[in-house]
Amino acid sequence: MDENIERQKEEIDAISAIYQENCQCEDENFQTYNIRIADGDLIANLIVTLPPEYPSVGPPYYLLNCPWMSRKDKEELSNEIERVAESNIGESVIYQWAEKVREFLQNKGDALQKLQAEETEEEKARKQILKSIPIWTTPCPEIVSSEPFTERKSTFQGHIATVFTQDQVRQVLAKLYENRKIAQATHNMYAYRIYKEDSKSWLSDCDDDGETQAGSRLLHLLQIVNSKDVIVVVSRWFGGILLGADRFKLINNAARQVLQLGGYLEASNDTGKRKNK
């Protein structure tokens, strides 16, 4: 254990010397550090927490905070990071992880530059025309948002709306993402549940947005309270401390809070829809 502590100290000292102000201690008690890695306009935050058994037994815990990155890109980068960990058991890996993130950003930046260079004037004009065409022909459903709450530096906020079609689901999500703060959340997980009267069937789906199993748990909550024709979204802004399984309870609390605020829980025993006020 003492050897691990010494090796951790040496590694963090080295990382701090390399990244300087871009390496910040988020929480001394939990040994959590935030390494800001940038390549041009592309920025990613690699957040690592060092458990007592690192590095002799296994790697540190990590989280990638880069809201601009697609889910596919996050999965690809996470796989690269995990491969580094698996091939270096017992070794210090944080610098290798950071360099892997930097390499990924460089490749992504090069690909974007190449794509932009290949774009013709005709394609630019076509995109401009598409931008001028209204996406939605009907008003966005009313969205109700709860007051955000913070637990161990992570902030949670719920959002809810009545929806009857998948098009309205997309409309609500697009409207929420117009809010810069929500768009920059670490995770925006959601679930929706719609009852189709014509076919007497359910239309439902969910999305984890990088928070594994969170979306399916939200959908399960909607089923338990018998809510229908509704979408619930929970935004989480990660604060640097890994919450473990407690995060699911907090996500559930945020969802229940906004269900209550929107008037969906009171009516769940009847129709499952929002109560008229």
Side-chain angles (χ1 to χ4, degrees):
M1 187 68 69
D2 290 342
E3 181 182 351
N4 280 338
I5 293 174
E6 184 61 31
R7 291 176 67 185
Q8 289 179 13
K9 184 179 183 303
E10 290 176 356
E11 183 177 22
I12 292 301
D13 286 345
I15 294 291
S16 297
I18 295 170
Y19 288 92
Q20 299 181 15
E21 69 275 5
N22 290 319
C23 178
Q24 299 291 331
C25 179
E26 297 285 346
D27 192 294
E28 292 184 2
N29 293 328
F30 288 91
Q31 285 290 89
T32 299
Y33 298 87
N34 186 349
I35 305 170
R36 182 180 182 274
I37 304 160
D39 183 74
D41 294 331
L42 302 182
I43 300 172
N45 289 283
L46 175 64
I47 302 164
V48 295
T49 297
L50 314 184
E53 63 272 17
Y54 171 73
S56 62
V57 177
Y61 307 120
Y62 77 91
L63 179 73
L64 288 168
N65 186 1
C66 33
W68 59 268
M69 194 178 291
S70 70
R71 188 186 316 157
K72 181 180 177 181
D73 285 342
K74 281 185 181 179
E75 289 176 357
E76 181 181 341
L77 181 52
S78 293
N79 289 336
E80 291 289 335
I81 288 174
E82 287 165 15
R83 276 193 285 268
V84 170
E86 290 171 2
S87 59
N88 291 275
I89 298 296
E91 300 297 327
S92 300
V93 296
I94 297 177
Y95 177 73
Q96 294 182 65
W97 282 359
E99 287 304 296
K100 185 63 67 175
V101 174
R102 183 186 301 281
E103 178 184 329
F104 189 89
L105 295 183
Q106 289 174 342
N107 292 338
K108 181 61 63 175
D110 291 344
L112 289 173
Q113 288 181 358
K114 183 178 179 181
L115 184 63
Q116 291 170 355
E118 292 175 349
E119 188 175 58
T120 64
E121 289 300 320
E122 182 180 351
E123 288 171 330
K124 288 181 180 179
R126 176 177 173 273
K127 286 185 177 180
Q128 192 63 37
I129 292 172
L130 288 174
K131 285 180 181 179
S132 66
I133 299 175
I135 299 175
W136 314 111
T137 57
T138 57
C140 179
E142 179 187 359
I143 301 172
V144 176
S145 296
S146 63
E147 287 296 321
F149 64 88
T150 301
E151 179 72 26
R152 280 180 281 173
K153 295 188 177 182
S154 279
T155 299
F156 300 83
Q157 185 179 30
H159 320 277
I160 202 163
T162 298
V163 291
F164 300 101
T165 66
Q166 286 180 305
D167 194 52
Q168 286 185 320
V169 168
R170 290 187 285 268
Q171 197 173 1
V172 168
L173 293 172
K175 188 67 176 178
L176 285 172
Y177 272 89
E178 288 179 7
N179 184 305
R180 186 175 180 181
K181 182 181 178 182
I182 294 174
Q184 292 180 340
T186 311
H187 308 287
N188 282 301
M189 55 228 90
Y190 68 85
Y192 65 87
R193 191 167 184 254
I194 301 169
Y195 186 68
K196 307 296 289 183
E197 288 286 353
D198 54 350
S199 60
K200 305 299 181 185
S201 62
W202 290 96
L203 179 63
S204 61
D205 201 358
C206 59
D207 192 292
D208 298 332
D209 193 27
E211 188 71 279
T212 306
Q213 299 182 1
S216 59
R217 288 170 184 256
L218 287 175
L219 181 56
H220 183 58
L221 174 63
L222 294 182
Q223 292 167 342
I224 289 175
V225 301
N226 194 29
S227 287
K228 72 175 183 180
D229 302 333
V230 63
I231 178 173
V232 61
V233 182
V234 175
S235 303
R236 178 192 178 187
W237 292 266
F238 181 70
I241 299 175
L242 297 174
L243 303 180
D246 285 349
R247 69 189 187 278
F248 296 120
K249 179 178 69 175
L250 295 166
I251 292 167
N252 185 280
N253 289 346
R256 278 188 171 275
Q257 184 182 80
V258 78
L259 280 164
Q260 183 81 36
L261 181 65
Y264 294 84
L265 288 185
E266 295 89 343
S268 62
N269 291 330
D270 182 12
T271 63
K273 292 172 64 176
R274 185 178 183 183
K275 181 173 64 178
N276 291 329
K277 296 183 177 180

